[in-house]
Amino acid sequence: MAPVPAGPADTPDVDVAILSDFRLPGGTTSSIAEEVRAQSEAGISTALIHAAGSITNYPNPWSTHIQRILDLPGVRIASARARLHARVLIIRHPTVIYSTLSAFEGLTADHVIIVVNHAAVDAADTWHYPVEATDARIRRLFGVEPVWAPIGPVVRQTVLDQTTRVPLRETDWVNIFRTTGEVRRRAGFIGDRPVIGRHSRPQPGKWPATGKDILQAYPDSPDYQVEILGGAQVAEHKLGYVPSRWHVIEFGGEEPTHFLERIDFWVYMHHPDLKEAFGRAAMEALAAGCVAIMPPYLEELFGDAALYASPREVRGLVDEYRADREKFLAQSARAQDFALAFSPEMHIRRLEELGVQAPGVAAPADPYDLPARPGPALLIAADAETDLLDAAQAHLHQGRPVLRVELTDTPGRRATHAAGAAGGGGAGTSVLQLSTAAGLRTDEQTWQRHLQDGLRRLLRAHRPGEVTVVGEHVPDAVLRALAWSDIPGIWVRGVGGDDVAPDPRTASCFRRVLAPAEVGMSSASALPAARDSQPIVTPGQETR
């Protein structure tokens, strides 16, 4: 029985359905997991539909990437035989939908997106799936014209190498990335020798074609330290041995984020027949601040965020950047800035273009509908006493309207008053009290998400000219919300801030850092000039 096409007016059972083979261990399921996390955090409901394709012929368990997201809020598993209507159906990996035996008779959707995360044609001119036949099968299955969404320019061209007769999304459906915890800007080199690293699945195509090329890219020399995550069986087969100076960890033996922290140069040389669709491992290396060296064809995707070379040119580039610390650090910063643009918010925006609205985390009744004022300043109380808040407002925002956000266990009604006592020169001050974790009777992680979501909505709605945070201990949710926006931030430190060095992690998030004395609490110090600081990489940060 053919499915009945669903119209836009139909009420969906789920916002987004994601269909793929969840046994795949690498970039496909890792990318799915990141998008599902972003959807869950935004309050978007998700159904996961497994389809057994021809890529994986073994009875493998579902990828650990998928297993880790199954308990997220708003996420459920749906059978391929279930009756389900989605606002958007996202199909990951064309080979899966082309080769699966499932018919999906009860599955309908307003929009169908086929995410092209694998090359249609490789450098040896081998077709990995027939584009037009895959497109025709999707139309038959779901009764909707699919939109083909390549994840990068390289894979887009491979589709066009086969055909120009399928609808292609104008912009690439790039993978999204978030950091786990804080990722600092690099301050220098790891050790007394250049540390070269690589991270990839243990497949022949992921390594150079010859033993000579392998040793040129990953030298067996006392002048270099080589770290390999993903096993070295392919290299051992080509070389006849594993170089004694390599440190090898099997695939999955260490978290990539930890591995990349001890790498200076992330070198990815692979078989010339392979065409990387996007390079998730490469993006993770860029986000970690590694100086990445890749094959020249990837410049179309990564631009000046990476360096490009053949295997025989790798050591020359490593030596060049090792000899110039400032040049290395500048390249490392470019890499991180590039990676930051691929944020979870990007994914939520493209879903909004398809009619999926992100409701966000439910907020307490009516806290965000404050009347808009022209260019208010936002004053956030972290753990500060009222007198320090008043002093900061008087010193930094005198004569301007202020939206004052206070965190409390027992939030009451907000108040609006003339801020004469606070030194506002008669300007209006709106006070918004938000619950702490204790006030909401929830765990710390849930509260942090709740607070971050609320602050983002405040920033989006009021567009304050600047944000001042007062207190010694600033919640991570506040730091993430500031990183998400492009609004200047000032940190007025709490009691004791005159004598104790500021927490560098928190300080790096602000344009200015002031002690209590500098806002008149104990002395009449002049306001210092803005400090140049490197922002930390935090989840959800965007470059503008």
Side-chain angles (χ1 to χ4, degrees), residues 292-322:
I293 304 175
M294 310 181 205
Y297 77 91
L298 287 171
E299 185 172 6
E300 184 178 6
L301 174 59
F302 295 107
D304 65 358
L307 308 177
Y308 306 95
S310 64
R312 63 183 177 82
E313 296 169 326
V314 167
R315 272 184 282 184
L317 277 177
V318 170
D319 293 344
E320 175 186 345
Y321 279 77
R322 172 70 190 200

Side-chain angles (χ1 to χ4, degrees), residues 492-516:
V492 179
R493 299 170 54 206
V495 177
D498 287 321
D499 304 318
V500 181
D503 171 34
R505 173 181 175 273
T506 304
S508 64
C509 296
F510 295 90
R511 303 283 182 88
R512 295 176 181 171
V513 179
L514 306 178

Side-chain angles (χ1 to χ4, degrees), residues 21 29 31 85 136 150 175 182 205 248 289 293 366 372 404 431 437:
D21 190 328
T29 51
S31 299
H85 176 53
N175 290 326
E182 62 176 282
V248 179
I293 304 175
D366 189 39
R404 186 156 146 169
V431 179

Side-chain angles (χ1 to χ4, degrees), residues 61-99:
W62 284 10
S63 160
T64 55
H65 301 301
I66 299 299
Q67 293 181 37
R68 291 169 182 166
I69 62 172
L70 296 179
D71 294 329
L72 292 177
V75 178
R76 60 176 163 134
I77 300 170
S79 166
R81 299 178 180 178
R83 296 198 65 83
L84 182 75
H85 176 53
R87 183 74 71 201
V88 177
L89 170 62
I90 298 173
I91 302 170
R92 276 270 180 177
H93 211 306
T95 302
V96 171
I97 194 64
Y98 178 71
S99 63

Side-chain angles (χ1 to χ4, degrees), residues 4-207:
V4 177
D10 291 346
T11 301
D13 300 306
V14 68
D15 293 320
V16 179
I18 299 179
L19 189 158
S20 189
D21 190 328
F22 298 139
R23 299 171 297 172
L24 299 172
T28 296
T29 51
S30 179
S31 299
I32 290 171
E34 286 299 337
E35 293 186 1
V36 171
R37 285 192 186 94
Q39 290 161 200
S40 176
E41 291 174 359
I44 294 171
S45 57
T46 305
L48 298 173
I49 304 170
H50 172 68
S54 63
I55 308 172
T56 303
N57 295 319
Y58 298 99
N60 295 336
W62 284 10
S63 160
T64 55
H65 301 301
I66 299 299
Q67 293 181 37
R68 291 169 182 166
I69 62 172
L70 296 179
D71 294 329
L72 292 177
V75 178
R76 60 176 163 134
I77 300 170
S79 166
R81 299 178 180 178
R83 296 198 65 83
L84 182 75
H85 176 53
R87 183 74 71 201
V88 177
L89 170 62
I90 298 173
I91 302 170
R92 276 270 180 177
H93 211 306
T95 302
V96 171
I97 194 64
Y98 178 71
S99 63
T100 185
L101 298 178
S102 298
F104 310 104
E105 293 181 349
L107 179 59
T108 58
D110 295 341
H111 303 278
V112 177
I113 304 294
I114 174 72
V115 176
V116 191
N117 57 309
H118 192 273
V121 184
D122 64 22
D125 204 30
T126 300
W127 285 26
H128 291 278
Y129 51 87
V131 174
E132 289 189 17
T134 302
D135 184 80
R137 179 156 204 249
I138 294 172
R139 292 168 189 257
R140 289 195 304 271
L141 286 173
F142 306 113
V144 176
E145 179 180 78
V147 174
W148 287 67
I151 64 172
V154 174
V155 73
R156 176 181 292 269
Q157 186 57 51
T158 70
V159 173
L160 294 172
D161 287 343
Q162 272 201 32
T163 182
T164 59
R165 294 192 290 183
V166 297
L168 280 175
R169 190 171 188 263
E170 290 185 7
T171 56
D172 295 330
W173 191 282
V174 296
N175 290 326
I176 60 171
F177 297 85
R178 75 181 68 213
T179 60
T180 53
E182 62 176 282
V183 178
R184 297 183 181 279
R185 299 291 190 178
R186 296 288 176 116
F189 300 108
I190 301 299
D192 58 358
R193 294 174 295 164
V195 181
I196 296 173
R198 64 169 281 137
H199 168 221
S200 69
R201 296 194 304 276
Q203 297 176 347
K206 297 289 187 177
W207 284 85

